[in-house]
Coordinates of all heavy atoms in Angstrom, one line a residue:
M1 N 30.1 36.5 -42.3 CA 31.5 36.8 -42.2 C 32.3 35.6 -42.6 O 31.9 34.5 -42.4 CB 31.8 37.1 -40.7 CG 33.1 37.8 -40.4 SD 33.4 38.1 -38.7 CE 32.4 39.7 -38.5
S2 N 33.4 35.8 -43.3 CA 34.2 34.8 -43.8 C 35.7 35.0 -43.4 O 36.0 36.1 -42.9 CB 34.1 34.7 -45.3 OG 34.5 35.9 -45.9
D3 N 36.5 34.0 -43.6 CA 37.9 34.1 -43.3 C 38.5 35.2 -44.1 O 38.2 35.3 -45.3 CB 38.6 32.8 -43.5 CG 38.2 31.8 -42.4 OD1 37.7 32.2 -41.4 OD2 38.3 30.6 -42.7
P4 N 39.4 36.0 -43.6 CA 40.1 37.0 -44.4 C 40.9 36.4 -45.5 O 41.5 35.4 -45.3 CB 41.0 37.7 -43.4 CG 40.4 37.4 -42.0 CD 39.8 36.1 -42.2
I5 N 40.8 37.0 -46.7 CA 41.6 36.6 -47.8 C 42.2 37.8 -48.5 O 41.8 38.9 -48.2 CB 40.7 35.9 -48.9 CG1 39.6 36.8 -49.4 CG2 40.1 34.6 -48.4 CD1 38.9 36.4 -50.6
T6 N 43.3 37.5 -49.2 CA 43.9 38.6 -50.0 C 42.9 39.2 -50.9 O 42.2 38.5 -51.6 CB 45.1 38.0 -50.7 OG1 46.0 37.4 -49.8 CG2 45.9 39.1 -51.5
C7 N 42.9 40.5 -50.9 CA 42.0 41.2 -51.8 C 42.2 40.8 -53.3 O 43.3 40.9 -53.8 CB 42.2 42.7 -51.6 SG 41.1 43.7 -52.7
P8 N 41.1 40.4 -53.9 CA 41.2 40.0 -55.3 C 41.3 41.2 -56.3 O 41.8 41.0 -57.4 CB 39.9 39.2 -55.6 CG 38.9 39.8 -54.6 CD 39.7 40.2 -53.4
E9 N 41.0 42.3 -55.8 CA 41.0 43.5 -56.7 C 42.5 44.1 -56.8 O 42.9 44.4 -57.9 CB 40.1 44.6 -56.1 CG 38.6 44.2 -56.2 CD 38.1 44.2 -57.7 OE1 38.5 45.1 -58.5 OE2 37.5 43.2 -58.0
C10 N 43.1 44.2 -55.7 CA 44.5 44.8 -55.7 C 45.5 43.7 -55.4 O 46.7 44.1 -55.3 CB 44.5 45.9 -54.7 SG 44.3 45.4 -53.0
E11 N 45.1 42.5 -55.2 CA 46.1 41.4 -55.0 C 46.9 41.6 -53.7 O 48.1 41.3 -53.7 CB 46.9 41.1 -56.2 CG 46.0 40.7 -57.4 CD 46.8 40.4 -58.7 OE1 47.8 41.0 -58.8 OE2 46.3 39.6 -59.5
G12 N 46.3 42.3 -52.8 CA 47.0 42.5 -51.5 C 47.8 43.7 -51.4 O 48.4 44.0 -50.4
A13 N 47.9 44.5 -52.5 CA 48.7 45.7 -52.5 C 48.0 46.8 -51.7 O 48.7 47.7 -51.2 CB 49.0 46.1 -53.9
G14 N 46.7 46.7 -51.6 CA 46.0 47.7 -50.8 C 45.7 49.0 -51.6 O 45.2 49.9 -51.1
G15 N 46.1 48.9 -52.9 CA 45.8 50.1 -53.7 C 46.8 50.2 -54.8 O 47.5 49.2 -55.1
R16 N 46.9 51.3 -55.5 CA 47.9 51.4 -56.5 C 48.5 52.8 -56.5 O 48.0 53.7 -55.8 CB 47.2 51.2 -57.9 CG 46.1 52.2 -58.2 CD 45.2 51.7 -59.4 NE 44.1 52.6 -59.5 CZ 44.1 53.6 -60.3 NH1 45.2 54.0 -61.0 NH2 43.0 54.4 -60.5
R17 N 49.6 52.9 -57.1 CA 50.3 54.2 -57.1 C 49.9 55.0 -58.3 O 49.8 54.5 -59.4 CB 51.8 53.9 -57.0 CG 52.2 53.4 -55.7 CD 53.7 53.7 -55.4 NE 54.0 53.6 -54.0 CZ 53.8 54.6 -53.2 NH1 53.5 55.8 -53.6 NH2 54.1 54.5 -51.9
L18 N 49.8 56.3 -58.1 CA 49.5 57.2 -59.2 C 50.5 58.3 -59.0 O 50.3 59.3 -58.2 CB 48.1 57.7 -59.1 CG 47.5 58.2 -60.4 CD1 47.3 57.1 -61.4 CD2 46.1 58.9 -60.1
G19 N 51.7 58.2 -59.6 CA 52.7 59.2 -59.3 C 53.1 59.0 -57.8 O 53.4 57.9 -57.4
R20 N 53.0 60.1 -57.1 CA 53.4 60.1 -55.7 C 52.2 59.8 -54.8 O 52.4 59.6 -53.6 CB 54.0 61.4 -55.3 CG 55.4 61.6 -56.0 CD 56.1 62.7 -55.3 NE 55.4 64.0 -55.3 CZ 55.7 65.1 -54.6 NH1 56.8 65.0 -53.8 NH2 55.0 66.2 -54.6
L21 N 51.1 59.7 -55.4 CA 49.9 59.4 -54.7 C 49.6 57.9 -54.6 O 49.9 57.2 -55.5 CB 48.6 60.1 -55.3 CG 48.7 61.6 -55.4 CD1 47.4 62.1 -56.1 CD2 48.7 62.2 -54.0
R22 N 49.1 57.5 -53.4 CA 48.7 56.2 -53.3 C 47.2 56.1 -53.2 O 46.6 56.8 -52.4 CB 49.3 55.6 -52.0 CG 48.9 54.1 -51.8 CD 49.7 53.6 -50.6 NE 49.3 52.2 -50.3 CZ 48.2 51.9 -49.6 NH1 47.4 52.8 -49.1 NH2 48.0 50.6 -49.4
I23 N 46.6 55.5 -54.2 CA 45.1 55.4 -54.3 C 44.7 54.1 -53.6 O 45.0 53.0 -54.0 CB 44.6 55.4 -55.7 CG1 45.2 56.5 -56.5 CG2 43.1 55.4 -55.8 CD1 44.9 57.9 -56.0
A24 N 43.9 54.2 -52.5 CA 43.5 53.1 -51.8 C 42.5 52.3 -52.6 O 41.7 52.8 -53.3 CB 42.9 53.5 -50.4
C25 N 42.7 51.0 -52.5 CA 41.8 50.1 -53.2 C 40.4 50.2 -52.7 O 40.2 50.1 -51.5 CB 42.3 48.6 -53.1 SG 41.1 47.4 -53.7
P26 N 39.4 50.5 -53.5 CA 38.0 50.7 -53.0 C 37.4 49.4 -52.5 O 36.5 49.5 -51.7 CB 37.3 51.3 -54.2 CG 38.0 50.9 -55.4 CD 39.5 50.7 -55.0
F27 N 37.9 48.3 -53.0 CA 37.3 47.0 -52.6 C 37.7 46.6 -51.2 O 36.8 46.2 -50.4 CB 37.7 45.9 -53.6 CG 36.9 44.7 -53.5 CD1 35.6 44.7 -53.8 CD2 37.5 43.5 -53.0 CE1 34.8 43.5 -53.7 CE2 36.7 42.3 -52.9 CZ 35.4 42.3 -53.3
C28 N 39.0 46.8 -50.9 CA 39.4 46.4 -49.5 C 39.7 47.6 -48.7 O 40.1 47.5 -47.5 CB 40.7 45.6 -49.6 SG 42.1 46.5 -50.4
Q29 N 39.4 48.8 -49.3 CA 39.6 50.1 -48.6 C 41.1 50.2 -48.1 O 41.4 50.7 -47.0 CB 38.7 50.2 -47.4 CG 37.2 50.5 -47.9 CD 36.2 50.1 -46.9 OE1 36.4 50.1 -45.7 NE2 35.0 49.9 -47.4
G30 N 42.0 49.7 -48.9 CA 43.4 49.9 -48.7 C 44.0 48.9 -47.7 O 45.2 49.0 -47.4
R31 N 43.3 47.9 -47.2 CA 43.8 47.0 -46.3 C 44.6 45.9 -47.0 O 45.5 45.3 -46.4 CB 42.7 46.3 -45.4 CG 42.3 47.2 -44.3 CD 41.2 46.5 -43.5 NE 39.9 46.4 -44.3 CZ 39.0 47.3 -44.2 NH1 39.1 48.4 -43.5 NH2 37.9 47.2 -45.0
G32 N 44.2 45.6 -48.2 CA 44.9 44.5 -49.0 C 44.3 43.2 -48.7 O 44.7 42.2 -49.3
W33 N 43.3 43.1 -47.9 CA 42.6 41.9 -47.6 C 41.2 42.2 -47.3 O 40.8 43.3 -47.0 CB 43.3 41.1 -46.5 CG 43.4 41.9 -45.2 CD1 44.5 42.6 -44.9 CD2 42.5 41.9 -44.1 NE1 44.2 43.2 -43.6 CE2 43.0 42.8 -43.2 CE3 41.2 41.4 -43.9 CZ2 42.4 43.1 -42.0 CZ3 40.6 41.7 -42.7 CH2 41.1 42.5 -41.8
V34 N 40.4 41.2 -47.6 CA 38.9 41.3 -47.3 C 38.5 40.1 -46.5 O 39.1 39.1 -46.4 CB 38.1 41.4 -48.6 CG1 38.4 42.7 -49.3 CG2 38.4 40.2 -49.5
G35 N 37.3 40.2 -45.9 CA 36.7 39.1 -45.1 C 36.9 39.4 -43.7 O 37.3 40.5 -43.3
G36 N 36.6 38.4 -42.8 CA 36.7 38.7 -41.4 C 35.8 39.9 -41.0 O 34.6 39.9 -41.4
E37 N 36.4 40.8 -40.3 CA 35.6 41.9 -39.9 C 35.3 42.9 -41.0 O 34.5 43.8 -40.9 CB 36.4 42.7 -38.8 CG 36.7 42.0 -37.6 CD 37.7 42.8 -36.7 OE1 37.4 44.0 -36.5 OE2 38.7 42.3 -36.3
H38 N 36.0 42.7 -42.2 CA 35.9 43.7 -43.2 C 35.3 43.1 -44.5 O 36.0 43.0 -45.5 CB 37.3 44.4 -43.5 CG 37.8 45.1 -42.3 ND1 37.2 46.2 -41.8 CD2 38.8 44.8 -41.5 CE1 37.9 46.6 -40.7 NE2 38.8 45.8 -40.5
E39 N 34.2 42.5 -44.3 CA 33.5 41.9 -45.5 C 33.1 43.0 -46.4 O 32.4 44.0 -46.0 CB 32.2 41.2 -44.9 CG 31.6 40.2 -45.9 CD 32.4 38.9 -45.8 OE1 32.6 38.3 -44.8 OE2 32.8 38.5 -46.9
P40 N 33.4 42.9 -47.7 CA 33.0 44.0 -48.6 C 31.5 44.1 -48.7 O 31.0 45.2 -48.9 CB 33.6 43.5 -50.0 CG 34.7 42.6 -49.6 CD 34.3 42.0 -48.4
A41 N 30.8 43.0 -48.5 CA 29.3 43.1 -48.6 C 28.8 43.8 -47.4 O 27.6 44.2 -47.4 CB 28.7 41.7 -48.7
E42 N 29.6 43.9 -46.3 CA 29.1 44.6 -45.1 C 30.1 45.8 -44.9 O 31.0 45.7 -44.2 CB 29.2 43.7 -43.9 CG 28.4 42.4 -44.1 CD 28.7 41.4 -43.0 OE1 29.3 41.8 -42.0 OE2 28.5 40.2 -43.2
P43 N 29.8 46.9 -45.7 CA 30.8 48.0 -45.6 C 31.0 48.5 -44.2 O 30.0 48.5 -43.4 CB 30.2 49.1 -46.5 CG 28.8 48.6 -46.8 CD 28.7 47.2 -46.5
A44 N 32.2 48.8 -43.9 CA 32.5 49.3 -42.6 C 31.7 50.6 -42.4 O 31.3 51.3 -43.3 CB 34.0 49.6 -42.4
P45 N 31.4 50.9 -41.1 CA 30.7 52.2 -40.9 C 31.3 53.3 -41.5 O 32.6 53.4 -41.6 CB 30.7 52.3 -39.3 CG 31.0 50.9 -38.8 CD 31.8 50.2 -39.9
A46 N 30.5 54.2 -42.1 CA 31.1 55.4 -42.7 C 32.0 56.1 -41.8 O 31.8 56.2 -40.6 CB 30.0 56.3 -43.2
P47 N 33.1 56.6 -42.3 CA 34.0 57.4 -41.5 C 33.3 58.5 -40.8 O 32.5 59.2 -41.4 CB 35.1 57.9 -42.4 CG 34.6 57.7 -43.8 CD 33.6 56.6 -43.7
A48 N 33.6 58.8 -39.6 CA 32.9 59.8 -38.8 C 33.4 61.2 -39.3 O 34.4 61.7 -38.9 CB 33.2 59.6 -37.3
G49 N 32.7 61.7 -40.3 CA 33.0 63.0 -40.8 C 32.4 64.0 -39.9 O 31.7 63.7 -38.9
P50 N 32.6 65.3 -40.2 CA 32.0 66.3 -39.4 C 30.5 66.2 -39.5 O 30.0 66.0 -40.6 CB 32.6 67.6 -39.9 CG 33.1 67.3 -41.3 CD 33.4 65.8 -41.3
P51 N 29.8 66.4 -38.4 CA 28.3 66.4 -38.5 C 27.8 67.6 -39.2 O 28.6 68.6 -39.3 CB 27.9 66.4 -37.0 CG 29.0 67.1 -36.3 CD 30.3 66.8 -37.1
P52 N 26.6 67.6 -39.7 CA 26.0 68.8 -40.2 C 26.1 70.0 -39.2 O 26.1 69.7 -38.0 CB 24.5 68.5 -40.5 CG 24.5 67.0 -40.6 CD 25.6 66.5 -39.7
A53 N 26.4 71.2 -39.8 CA 26.6 72.3 -38.9 C 25.6 72.4 -37.8 O 25.9 72.8 -36.7 CB 26.8 73.6 -39.7
G54 N 24.3 72.2 -38.2 CA 23.2 72.4 -37.3 C 23.2 71.3 -36.2 O 22.4 71.4 -35.2
E55 N 24.0 70.3 -36.4 CA 24.0 69.2 -35.3 C 25.4 69.2 -34.6 O 25.7 68.2 -33.9 CB 23.8 67.8 -36.0 CG 22.4 67.8 -36.6 CD 22.2 66.5 -37.4 OE1 23.0 65.6 -37.2 OE2 21.3 66.5 -38.2
H56 N 26.2 70.2 -34.8 CA 27.4 70.2 -34.1 C 27.2 70.2 -32.6 O 26.2 70.8 -32.1 CB 28.2 71.5 -34.6 CG 29.6 71.5 -34.1 ND1 30.0 71.8 -32.9 CD2 30.8 71.1 -34.8 CE1 31.4 71.7 -32.8 NE2 31.8 71.3 -34.0
R57 N 28.1 69.6 -31.9 CA 27.9 69.5 -30.5 C 27.9 70.8 -29.8 O 27.5 70.9 -28.6 CB 29.0 68.6 -29.9 CG 30.4 69.1 -29.9 CD 31.3 68.2 -29.2 NE 32.7 68.7 -29.2 CZ 33.6 68.4 -30.2 NH1 33.2 67.7 -31.2 NH2 34.8 68.9 -30.2
I58 N 28.4 71.9 -30.5 CA 28.4 73.2 -29.8 C 27.0 73.6 -29.4 O 26.8 74.4 -28.5 CB 29.1 74.2 -30.7 CG1 29.5 75.5 -29.8 CG2 28.2 74.6 -31.9 CD1 30.4 76.4 -30.5
W59 N 26.0 73.1 -30.2 CA 24.6 73.5 -30.0 C 24.1 73.0 -28.7 O 23.0 73.4 -28.2 CB 23.8 73.2 -31.2 CG 24.2 73.9 -32.4 CD1 24.8 73.3 -33.5 CD2 24.2 75.3 -32.6 NE1 25.1 74.3 -34.4 CE2 24.8 75.5 -33.9 CE3 23.8 76.4 -31.9 CZ2 24.9 76.7 -34.5 CZ3 23.9 77.6 -32.5 CH2 24.5 77.8 -33.7
S60 N 24.8 72.0 -28.1 CA 24.3 71.4 -26.9 C 24.8 72.3 -25.7 O 24.4 72.1 -24.6 CB 24.8 70.0 -26.7 OG 26.2 70.0 -26.6
D61 N 25.6 73.3 -26.0 CA 26.0 74.2 -25.0 C 25.1 75.5 -25.1 O 25.2 76.2 -26.0 CB 27.5 74.6 -25.3 CG 28.0 75.6 -24.3 OD1 27.2 76.3 -23.6 OD2 29.3 75.8 -24.2
P62 N 24.2 75.6 -24.1 CA 23.2 76.7 -24.2 C 23.9 78.1 -24.4 O 23.4 78.9 -25.1 CB 22.5 76.6 -22.9 CG 22.7 75.3 -22.4 CD 24.1 74.9 -22.9
A63 N 25.0 78.3 -23.7 CA 25.6 79.6 -23.8 C 26.1 79.9 -25.2 O 25.9 81.0 -25.8 CB 26.8 79.7 -22.8
A64 N 26.8 78.9 -25.8 CA 27.3 79.0 -27.2 C 26.2 79.2 -28.1 O 26.2 80.0 -29.0 CB 28.2 77.9 -27.5
A65 N 25.1 78.4 -28.0 CA 24.0 78.5 -28.9 C 23.3 79.8 -28.8 O 22.9 80.4 -29.8 CB 23.0 77.4 -28.5
A66 N 23.2 80.4 -27.6 CA 22.6 81.7 -27.5 C 23.5 82.8 -28.1 O 23.0 83.7 -28.7 CB 22.4 82.0 -26.0
A67 N 24.8 82.6 -28.0 CA 25.7 83.6 -28.5 C 25.7 83.6 -30.0 O 25.8 84.6 -30.7 CB 27.1 83.4 -28.0
L68 N 25.6 82.4 -30.6 CA 25.6 82.2 -32.0 C 24.3 82.5 -32.7 O 24.3 82.9 -33.9 CB 26.1 80.8 -32.4 CG 27.6 80.6 -32.1 CD1 27.9 79.1 -32.2 CD2 28.5 81.4 -33.0
G69 N 23.2 82.3 -32.0 CA 21.9 82.6 -32.6 C 21.5 81.5 -33.5 O 21.5 80.3 -33.2
C70 N 21.1 81.9 -34.7 CA 20.5 81.0 -35.7 C 21.5 79.9 -36.1 O 22.7 80.2 -36.4 CB 20.1 81.8 -36.9 SG 19.5 80.7 -38.2
R71 N 21.1 78.7 -36.1 CA 22.0 77.6 -36.5 C 22.3 77.6 -38.0 O 23.3 77.0 -38.4 CB 21.3 76.3 -36.2 CG 21.1 76.1 -34.7 CD 20.6 74.7 -34.4 NE 20.3 74.5 -33.0 CZ 20.3 73.4 -32.4 NH1 20.5 72.3 -33.0 NH2 20.1 73.3 -31.1
L72 N 21.5 78.2 -38.8 CA 21.7 78.1 -40.2 C 22.6 79.3 -40.7 O 23.5 79.1 -41.5 CB 20.4 78.2 -41.0 CG 19.5 76.9 -40.8 CD1 18.2 77.1 -41.5 CD2 20.2 75.7 -41.4
C73 N 22.3 80.5 -40.2 CA 23.1 81.6 -40.7 C 24.0 82.2 -39.7 O 24.7 83.1 -40.0 CB 22.1 82.7 -41.2 SG 21.1 83.4 -39.9
L74 N 24.0 81.7 -38.5 CA 24.8 82.2 -37.4 C 24.6 83.7 -37.2 O 25.6 84.4 -36.9 CB 26.3 81.9 -37.7 CG 26.6 80.4 -37.9 CD1 28.1 80.2 -38.1 CD2 26.1 79.5 -36.7
G75 N 23.4 84.1 -37.4 CA 23.1 85.5 -37.2 C 23.3 86.4 -38.4 O 22.9 87.6 -38.3
A76 N 23.7 85.9 -39.5 CA 23.9 86.7 -40.7 C 22.6 87.0 -41.3 O 22.5 87.9 -42.2 CB 24.9 86.1 -41.7
K77 N 21.6 86.3 -41.0 CA 20.2 86.5 -41.5 C 20.1 86.1 -43.0 O 19.2 86.4 -43.7 CB 19.7 87.9 -41.3 CG 19.7 88.4 -39.9 CD 18.7 87.8 -39.1 CE 18.6 88.4 -37.7 NZ 18.6 87.4 -36.6
A78 N 21.2 85.5 -43.5 CA 21.1 85.1 -44.9 C 22.0 83.8 -45.0 O 23.0 83.7 -44.3 CB 21.7 86.2 -45.8
V79 N 21.6 82.9 -45.9 CA 22.4 81.7 -46.1 C 22.8 81.6 -47.6 O 22.0 82.0 -48.5 CB 21.6 80.5 -45.6 CG1 21.5 80.5 -44.1 CG2 20.3 80.4 -46.3
A80 N 23.9 81.0 -47.9 CA 24.4 80.8 -49.2 C 23.6 79.6 -49.8 O 23.5 78.6 -49.1 CB 25.9 80.6 -49.3
H81 N 23.2 79.7 -51.0 CA 22.4 78.6 -51.6 C 22.9 78.5 -53.0 O 23.0 79.4 -53.8 CB 20.9 79.0 -51.6 CG 20.1 78.0 -52.4 ND1 19.9 76.7 -52.1 CD2 19.5 78.2 -53.6 CE1 19.1 76.1 -53.0 NE2 18.9 77.0 -54.0
L82 N 23.3 77.2 -53.4 CA 23.7 77.0 -54.8 C 22.5 76.7 -55.6 O 21.8 75.7 -55.4 CB 24.7 75.8 -54.8 CG 25.2 75.4 -56.2 CD1 26.0 76.5 -56.8 CD2 26.0 74.1 -56.1
D83 N 22.3 77.6 -56.6 CA 21.1 77.4 -57.5 C 21.6 76.4 -58.6 O 22.4 76.6 -59.4 CB 20.8 78.7 -58.1 CG 19.5 78.6 -58.9 OD1 19.3 77.6 -59.7 OD2 18.6 79.5 -58.8
E84 N 21.0 75.1 -58.5 CA 21.4 74.1 -59.4 C 21.2 74.4 -60.9 O 21.9 73.9 -61.8 CB 20.7 72.8 -59.0 CG 21.2 72.2 -57.7 CD 22.6 71.6 -57.7 OE1 23.1 71.5 -58.8 OE2 23.1 71.4 -56.6
T85 N 20.1 75.1 -61.2 CA 19.8 75.4 -62.6 C 20.7 76.4 -63.2 O 21.1 76.3 -64.3 CB 18.3 75.8 -62.7 OG1 18.1 76.9 -61.8 CG2 17.4 74.7 -62.4
T86 N 21.0 77.5 -62.4 CA 21.9 78.5 -63.0 C 23.3 78.3 -62.6 O 24.2 79.0 -63.1 CB 21.4 79.9 -62.5 OG1 21.5 80.0 -61.1 CG2 20.0 80.2 -63.0
R87 N 23.6 77.4 -61.7 CA 25.0 77.1 -61.2 C 25.6 78.3 -60.6 O 26.8 78.6 -60.8 CB 25.9 76.6 -62.4 CG 25.3 75.3 -63.1 CD 25.2 74.1 -62.2 NE 26.5 73.7 -61.7 CZ 26.7 72.8 -60.7 NH1 25.6 72.3 -60.1 NH2 27.9 72.5 -60.3
T88 N 24.8 79.1 -59.9 CA 25.3 80.3 -59.3 C 25.0 80.2 -57.8 O 24.1 79.5 -57.3 CB 24.7 81.6 -59.8 OG1 23.3 81.4 -59.8 CG2 25.2 81.8 -61.2
L89 N 25.9 80.8 -57.0 CA 25.7 80.9 -55.6 C 25.0 82.1 -55.3 O 25.4 83.2 -55.6 CB 27.1 80.9 -54.9 CG 27.1 80.6 -53.4 CD1 26.7 79.2 -53.1 CD2 28.5 80.8 -52.9
V90 N 23.8 81.9 -54.6 CA 23.0 83.1 -54.3 C 22.9 83.2 -52.8 O 22.9 82.1 -52.1 CB 21.6 83.0 -55.0 CG1 21.8 83.1 -56.5 CG2 20.9 81.8 -54.6
M91 N 22.6 84.3 -52.3 CA 22.4 84.5 -50.9 C 20.9 84.6 -50.7 O 20.2 85.5 -51.4 CB 23.1 85.8 -50.3 CG 24.6 85.7 -50.4 SD 25.3 84.3 -49.4 CE 25.0 84.9 -47.7
V92 N 20.3 83.8 -49.9 CA 18.9 83.9 -49.7 C 18.6 84.2 -48.2 O 19.4 83.9 -47.3 CB 18.2 82.5 -50.0 CG1 18.3 82.3 -51.5 CG2 18.7 81.4 -49.2
P93 N 17.5 84.9 -48.0 CA 17.2 85.3 -46.6 C 17.0 84.0 -45.8 O 16.4 83.0 -46.2 CB 15.9 86.1 -46.7 CG 15.8 86.5 -48.1 CD 16.5 85.4 -48.9
C94 N 17.5 84.1 -44.5 CA 17.4 82.9 -43.7 C 16.0 83.0 -43.0 O 15.5 84.0 -42.7 CB 18.5 82.9 -42.6 SG 18.4 81.5 -41.5
A95 N 15.5 81.8 -42.8 CA 14.2 81.7 -42.1 C 14.4 81.6 -40.6 O 14.1 80.6 -40.0 CB 13.5 80.4 -42.6
C96 N 15.1 82.6 -40.1 CA 15.4 82.6 -38.7 C 14.1 82.7 -37.9 O 13.2 83.4 -38.2 CB 16.2 83.9 -38.4 SG 17.9 83.9 -39.0
P97 N 14.1 81.9 -36.8 CA 13.0 82.0 -35.9 C 13.1 83.4 -35.3 O 14.2 83.9 -35.1 CB 13.1 80.9 -34.9 CG 14.6 80.5 -35.0 CD 15.0 80.9 -36.4
P98 N 12.0 84.0 -34.9 CA 12.0 85.3 -34.3 C 12.8 85.3 -33.0 O 12.8 84.2 -32.3 CB 10.6 85.7 -34.1 CG 9.8 84.5 -34.3 CD 10.6 83.5 -35.1
P99 N 13.5 86.3 -32.6 CA 14.2 86.3 -31.4 C 13.3 86.0 -30.2 O 12.2 86.4 -30.1 CB 14.7 87.8 -31.2 CG 14.7 88.4 -32.6 CD 13.6 87.6 -33.3
G100 N 13.8 85.2 -29.3 CA 13.0 84.7 -28.2 C 12.4 83.4 -28.5 O 11.9 82.7 -27.5
D101 N 12.4 83.0 -29.7 CA 11.8 81.7 -30.1 C 12.8 80.6 -30.2 O 12.5 79.5 -30.5 CB 11.0 81.9 -31.4 CG 9.9 80.8 -31.5 OD1 9.4 80.4 -30.5 OD2 9.6 80.4 -32.7
L102 N 14.1 81.0 -30.0 CA 15.1 80.0 -30.2 C 15.0 78.8 -29.3 O 15.2 77.7 -29.7 CB 16.5 80.7 -30.0 CG 16.8 81.7 -31.1 CD1 18.1 82.5 -30.7 CD2 17.1 81.0 -32.5
S103 N 14.7 79.1 -28.0 CA 14.7 78.0 -27.1 C 13.4 77.1 -27.3 O 13.4 75.9 -27.0 CB 14.6 78.6 -25.6 OG 13.5 79.4 -25.5
A104 N 12.4 77.7 -27.9 CA 11.2 76.9 -28.1 C 11.4 75.8 -29.1 O 10.8 74.7 -29.0 CB 10.1 77.8 -28.6
S105 N 12.3 76.0 -30.0 CA 12.6 74.9 -31.0 C 13.6 73.9 -30.6 O 13.8 72.9 -31.2 CB 13.1 75.6 -32.3 OG 14.3 76.2 -32.1
A106 N 14.2 74.1 -29.5 CA 15.2 73.2 -29.0 C 14.6 72.0 -28.4 O 13.5 72.0 -27.9 CB 16.2 73.9 -28.0
Ligands
ZN201 ZN1 42.1 45.7 -52.5
ZN202 ZN1 19.2 82.3 -39.6

């Protein structure tokens, strides 16, 4: 960790303007300075994005999990899959555990 300094990439501006948009400087992540707690070499923890659907906290609620059924297809018995080779979205059968086996995998 070092003393905070003005960002050398954006010279403290924190980013640049693109029309009406403000593009945050990727080096200082829009702060306009680096160092201290925000060492570029030690990237800040990734922003807490939404967790994968199968790890959503709703699954810790047994009643909700039972009502929704399969975590992947939510009971639709099919999941959308992007075929990288053909660049098409296909529906593939879900590998749902048989009914009654849901709790066994928890
Ligand atoms: Zn910057
Ligand atoms: Zn399923």
Side-chain angles (χ1 to χ4, degrees):
M1 196 178 281
S2 56
D3 291 335
I5 57 166
T6 300
C7 175
E9 292 291 314
C10 63
E11 299 178 331
R16 61 195 173 90
R17 290 204 159 270
L18 202 67
R20 293 196 303 169
L21 296 176
R22 182 174 176 276
I23 310 298
C25 171
F27 193 69
C28 63
Q29 290 159 19
R31 280 180 291 267
W33 54 272
V34 293
E37 299 172 49
H38 300 290
E39 199 77 55
E42 304 167 19
E55 294 172 20
H56 193 278
R57 65 175 181 274
I58 196 170
W59 298 112
S60 63
D61 179 343
L68 290 169
C70 176
R71 295 186 182 205
L72 292 175
C73 66
L74 304 180
K77 307 286 188 227
V79 290
H81 169 72
L82 179 64
D83 189 317
E84 292 288 349
T85 52
T86 60
R87 305 295 299 168
T88 51
L89 192 66
V90 294
M91 296 299 288
V92 295
C94 180
C96 289
D101 202 32
L102 291 171
S103 58
S105 63

